[in-house]
Amino acid sequence: MIAIDDLGVRHGETPVLAGVSLTLVPGRPVALVGESGAGKTSLALALMRLSPGQVHGRLRIDGEDVMAFDAGRLRRYRGGQAALVVQAVGEALNPHMRVLDQVVEAMTCQGTAAASKAATRALALLAAQGIEEDTAARYPAGLSGGETQRILLAMALANDPALLILDEPTAALDPASRATALATIKEAARDRCVLFITHDFAAVRDVAVETAVLYGGRLVEHGPTREVLAAPRHPYTRGLVRALPERHGGKDLQGVPGVFARPARGCLFANRCPQAVAVCREMEPRLNRRACGHVCDHGRDHGHDHVLACHRGGIVAAMTVRGLTKSLGGRRILDGLDLTLGCGETVVVCGESGSGKSTLARILAGLETPDGGGIAFDDAPGRVNHGGLALAPQHPHTAIAAHFSIAEAVAEPLVCGGMGDAARREAQTAACLAAVHLPTDKAFLRRRAHSLSGGELQRVAVARALVQDPAVLVADEATSALDVSVQAKIVRLLMELQEKRGLAMLFITHDMALARRVADRILVMDHGRLRPASGA
């Protein structure tokens, strides 16, 4: 067992890693994922005591603290007990030695095999990676990146290390070589500790039993791979999973909004988080086991080994609807409807015309009164969005007075809300028009709503919905009356706004193909209640 305890690395005054604790167990390979610059390679180098920075914390292997090793003990540890396959393959091999000799040297330097036996074992290790004898007899010059990567993996396994650290071991490989390398890694992981650093999430699913997520040098989530990738609990992890082109489901790619900026205090992810509140900007969260209390698990028990660093205990509900009922003309439209919408999540509600979708939207927006049930919003103090809900209607030409100027149409919710500061209203109006890619010059602001095209008016309706900075946006058939080209632009706009503003979105449509392109979850209105869409 390998125990990493409170490991940190600093380069001068700059923290690169902080408080990293992991336990590596033979047979349970751990994948380490995160954006470039998260500190993954810095951790790999620190575990080999090759870091150029100042390292603190403890690393125990078989009860010994690697950080206390002297030079002689460290030589036996590197390449003997622990091996690293580096990401920078171009500099990893000695250009003045033949490939076979370098693999042999890895064994003879550790005294694990005599030169004659080492050569036989080296050829077998190389052959297992698809490296033939004539290539083994060559110098590294002229080798492809994929060949070098496979040679380094063979070299790393030469002394049967207890700890194998792999830094992007499949990055330069063609599909066939990648499959061979992954098979080798899985076989090697049966009886040794493996830390698998990668951007290849398909390989994570294939190889790793556990997945740890690194952000800004700190672990923010760690748990069983299946759970971390299928139902991420931290907003950052969800952003990574949304960016995967190979992920299941058809939702168009989304990434993590913004860029990393190290704050003076508070949570490292607060400036990019759709659900950050006051405490997130003041205190750094610890990695600990907490009750879920969030929407993305759908009531599942994640077990006791799924941990995260989040003051809010993971992704929280932006809106919760319980037991909503509504009857019209003696017919029950909504029948005890329940709905939970997570911060930053897109839930699509589909159903036939007349099934009650628009009735639900109007009740949520406060335009109709339900017969029973309740609606609650995330009202934690200091949240990023001001909170509440706004509606982007199905027919903007009936929702916006035709004689209103564009400025009046967008600013109307602010006027109705009592904002008396005209300069502030103008600034927010212009900002929201810019956000939906409409002009903000005086000539456009003076134009009347009736003079706009359908696509332009729909953008004005979205700008008007955003002007009070809601946490939840309900888009009720917001593209149904538009031609396909304009529809695509509006849908991309809504996804862009969600990513930038952290909006939770309830997207109502009868178009299942469109639903699959925008949804994190698809629900179907069925006899006044919502159920998951089959096959979605």
Side-chain angles (χ1 to χ4, degrees), residues 265-497:
R265 61 181 183 275
C267 176
L268 294 171
F269 190 61
N271 71 310
R272 306 173 72 182
C273 182
Q275 60 180 47
V277 293
V279 66
C280 303
R281 291 181 280 274
E282 297 298 325
M283 296 174 57
E284 189 164 353
R286 295 176 179 272
L287 188 73
N288 55 20
R289 292 176 175 85
R290 303 182 65 165
C292 271
H294 61 281
V295 64
C296 65
D297 63 352
H298 306 299
R300 294 175 54 215
D301 178 8
H302 285 280
H304 298 292
D305 55 355
H306 195 154
V307 298
L308 72 161
C310 178
H311 285 301
R312 309 206 65 190
I315 299 168
V316 301
M319 180 181 70
T320 305
V321 178
R322 290 291 178 263
L324 210 63
T325 60
K326 181 69 176 180
S327 295
L328 294 173
R331 184 169 71 94
R332 183 62 64 92
I333 305 298
L334 304 180
D335 186 16
L337 180 144
D338 294 333
L339 171 66
T340 304
L341 180 63
C343 283
E345 182 185 29
T346 300
V347 171
V348 170
V349 173
C350 289
E352 297 177 354
S353 296
S355 63
K357 303 186 303 296
S358 291
T359 299
L360 172 62
R362 291 177 63 80
I363 288 174
L364 294 178
L367 300 176
E368 289 188 23
T369 303
D371 298 333
I375 305 167
F377 296 95
D378 177 29
D379 59 355
R383 57 170 295 117
V384 176
N385 306 107
H386 290 147
L389 177 146
L391 174 66
Q394 180 176 4
H395 302 295
H397 60 277
T398 61
I400 298 173
H403 64 281
F404 270 19
S405 69
I406 305 306
E408 289 170 335
V410 176
E412 186 181 22
L414 300 177
V415 175
C416 293
M419 182 183 287
D421 187 336
R424 188 177 164 200
R425 286 202 309 268
E426 290 175 7
Q428 286 188 220
T429 297
C432 288
L433 286 169
V436 300
H437 308 304
L438 285 175
T440 59
D441 58 90
K442 291 182 179 179
F444 184 78
L445 292 173
R446 291 193 191 106
R447 285 182 63 180
R448 299 298 168 182
H450 65 76
S451 71
L452 299 183
S453 69
E456 288 174 321
L457 194 58
Q458 190 63 270
R459 287 173 185 258
V460 170
V462 173
R464 176 166 129 149
L466 296 176
V467 77
Q468 289 186 303
D469 198 17
V472 178
L473 179 66
V474 176
D476 182 14
E477 297 282 9
T479 63
S480 61
L482 305 175
D483 67 70
V484 291
S485 175
V486 176
Q487 179 187 84
K489 291 178 182 178
I490 295 295
V491 170
R492 283 199 304 268
L493 170 66
L494 291 172
M495 293 298 100
E496 175 191 335
L497 290 169

Side-chain angles (χ1 to χ4, degrees), residues 140-155:
L143 293 177
S144 70
E147 287 173 323
T148 304
Q149 192 78 273
R150 286 180 281 151
I151 291 164
L152 291 173
L153 182 55
M155 191 181 301

Side-chain angles (χ1 to χ4, degrees), residues 2 80 89 112 114 139 183 189 209 245 293 304 315 325 397-398 425 470 499 506:
I2 313 295
V89 296
T112 56
Y139 290 94
V209 176
H304 298 292
I315 299 168
T325 60
H397 60 277
T398 61
R425 286 202 309 268
E499 185 172 323
L506 187 67

Side-chain angles (χ1 to χ4, degrees), residues 187-211:
E187 180 63 31
R190 289 177 182 271
D191 56 0
R192 60 170 53 81
C193 301
V194 172
L195 183 65
F196 183 39
I197 298 169
T198 185
H199 291 114
D200 184 348
F201 279 76
V204 170
R205 291 189 184 94
D206 191 19
V207 169
V209 176
E210 301 174 23
T211 295

